[in-house]
Amino acid sequence: MRVFSEIESLQADFPGFMIWRETIMGRVTYVARARAEGTNPCVVTARSLERLRVRLEEPLVPFDPTRPNVARVYDYLLGGKTNFAADRDEAARLLEVYPLLRELARENRQFLTRAVAHVARQGITQFIDVGAGLPTSPNTHEIAQQADPAARVAYVDNDPVVITHARCLLAKNAGVVAVPGDLRDPDAILGSPALAGLIDLAEPVCVLLVAVLHFLDTPTAAKVTAAFTRAMAPGSYLVLSVGHAGPGDMTAIHRAYTAARLHHHAREDIGAFFSGLDLIPPGLVDARSWHPPGAGPPGADSRGTERAATVLAGAGRKPALPRRTSHHQAPAERSGPPG
């Protein structure tokens, strides 16, 4: 009865939301859904009423639809509908400079799908998708939970619009959480109570940094990947992809892209982001050519000609601890589905 009384009290303090408690897959979640359309956030979830109150007290975050947004431009390139005229205009400028950009975005998304499916087949059930962007099906959690319905995914982004959409779409999935966080501050992400409530960093995890590191300069990107690698338990995975082009082509794309500043990373620097990890074959390659062991030969579309700009992609596994601590070792990578 005490819980119901506390819910009624919270409801009285926030009359613009309907608040209830539900249990999904054995996990108790408190949900607040806005009564009026257009409220930001429209859905808020938390593991306790105290945390729900804190999140409801956070100020509403305005956004400007007249300025292009990184997540919405990418959403448009993928054929999504969560974008505005400014985002479509930005995409049009980029496509004029490099007409294959929409194809690169789709190839990058397909790489994410293959990488998550492969890692899930190795028995990994925890995923941290940093810079996740707007939800686009198949989402990381859909891919992971297809392999194991108990898989858990934390979507991390510093864009309040992304977090709002993620909470609206994912509020019914107890194995998913949307975590506000800045890629440039991995320690804050890893120490977030919202992330800790779902992800156990003492166990193997997969960290995804897909199409985000080109928004950081090379030294910062190296520090970010190193921080996540240090925090991961042995047997964990790092999956990343980075836009890559020659100096002349990159300069033209940089000038056309106004939603954020882009940075060029040399191929060897991108390879160094996997420092301390064992690269999974085929290594660091064009995203369309990344097909993991046991997945069958690449399709014909992955054997295209060289392009001026591309997406370099790869995945690495953190080695197990030395034999003297073998009781903590993670199982060796498998090439196919579990038997």
Side-chain angles (χ1 to χ4, degrees):
M1 293 299 294
R2 182 178 63 84
V3 171
F4 292 109
S5 177
E6 291 176 352
I7 291 177
E8 288 180 355
S9 176
L10 193 61
Q11 184 77 78
D13 291 340
F14 297 93
F17 289 84
M18 296 179 290
I19 301 173
W20 69 91
R21 168 181 166 167
E22 58 185 35
T23 302
I24 304 176
M25 298 175 63
R27 290 177 175 267
V28 174
T29 302
Y30 295 92
V31 183
R33 181 180 294 275
R35 297 179 185 275
E37 293 184 5
T39 301
N40 183 9
C42 62
V43 175
V44 180
T45 63
R47 301 298 181 197
S48 69
L49 283 171
E50 292 79 6
R51 180 58 184 161
L52 187 65
R53 177 180 289 277
V54 169
R55 292 180 62 178
L56 287 172
E57 289 175 345
E58 294 174 354
L60 301 184
V61 182
F63 69 95
D64 185 358
T66 66
R67 295 178 59 86
N69 170 277
V70 170
R72 298 195 306 259
V73 171
Y74 188 57
D75 173 77
Y76 175 72
L77 290 172
L78 288 174
K81 298 179 180 179
T82 311
N83 50 75
F84 297 96
D87 309 305
R88 297 187 285 274
D89 290 344
E90 177 91 341
R93 288 192 297 271
L94 291 167
L95 289 167
E96 186 174 348
V97 171
Y98 194 69
L100 292 178
L101 196 60
R102 179 178 279 113
E103 186 175 342
L104 292 183
R106 291 172 178 167
E107 290 171 0
N108 179 72
R109 192 72 192 184
Q110 291 163 2
F111 157 72
L112 181 147
T113 299
R114 293 193 298 271
V116 171
H118 173 72
V119 171
R121 286 197 298 269
Q122 310 314 309
I124 301 299
T125 59
Q126 302 189 113
F127 295 80
I128 304 174
D129 192 344
V130 184
L134 290 162
T136 302
S137 187
N139 294 292
T140 299
H141 76 280
E142 292 173 325
I143 305 162
Q145 290 177 354
Q146 185 175 9
D148 186 338
R152 307 185 301 280
V153 178
Y155 291 105
V156 183
D157 209 289
N158 69 340
D159 186 335
V161 176
V162 169
I163 295 298
T164 297
H165 277 275
R167 286 173 178 166
C168 288
L169 295 176
L170 308 175
K172 292 297 184 181
N173 192 316
V176 176
V177 66
V179 180
D182 193 320
L183 170 66
R184 295 165 294 186
D185 192 354
D187 291 336
I189 292 172
L190 294 165
S192 165
L195 185 138
L198 189 68
I199 303 296
D200 182 1
L201 293 174
E203 297 296 328
V205 65
C206 176
V207 174
L208 297 136
L209 299 171
V210 176
V212 293
L213 292 177
H214 43 243
F215 295 116
L216 306 177
D217 59 61
T218 301
T220 302
K223 290 179 181 177
V224 166
T225 53
F228 281 114
T229 298
R230 283 195 305 270
M232 296 189 306
S236 295
Y237 289 79
L238 176 68
V239 173
L240 63 83
S241 65
V242 185
H244 184 72
D249 298 290
M250 185 59 74
T251 298
I253 294 172
H254 282 192
R255 289 175 176 170
Y257 196 82
T258 65
R261 183 180 178 185
L262 294 173
H263 296 268
H264 176 260
H265 302 303
R267 186 187 184 95
E268 56 269 25
D269 289 328
I270 299 173
F273 295 158
F274 290 103
S275 179
L277 303 173
D278 295 331
L279 265 179
I280 300 169
L284 181 64
V285 296
D286 187 296
R288 59 183 168 162
S289 301
W290 195 93
H291 292 259
D301 63 335
S302 70
R303 300 192 295 269
T305 58
E306 290 288 330
R307 294 182 289 192
T310 188
V311 176
L312 291 179
R317 183 178 186 271
K318 189 168 184 177
L321 294 173
R323 185 172 297 276
R324 64 176 179 274
T325 54
S326 59
H327 58 286
H328 289 304
Q329 289 183 5
E333 178 159 321
R334 301 189 289 264
S335 60

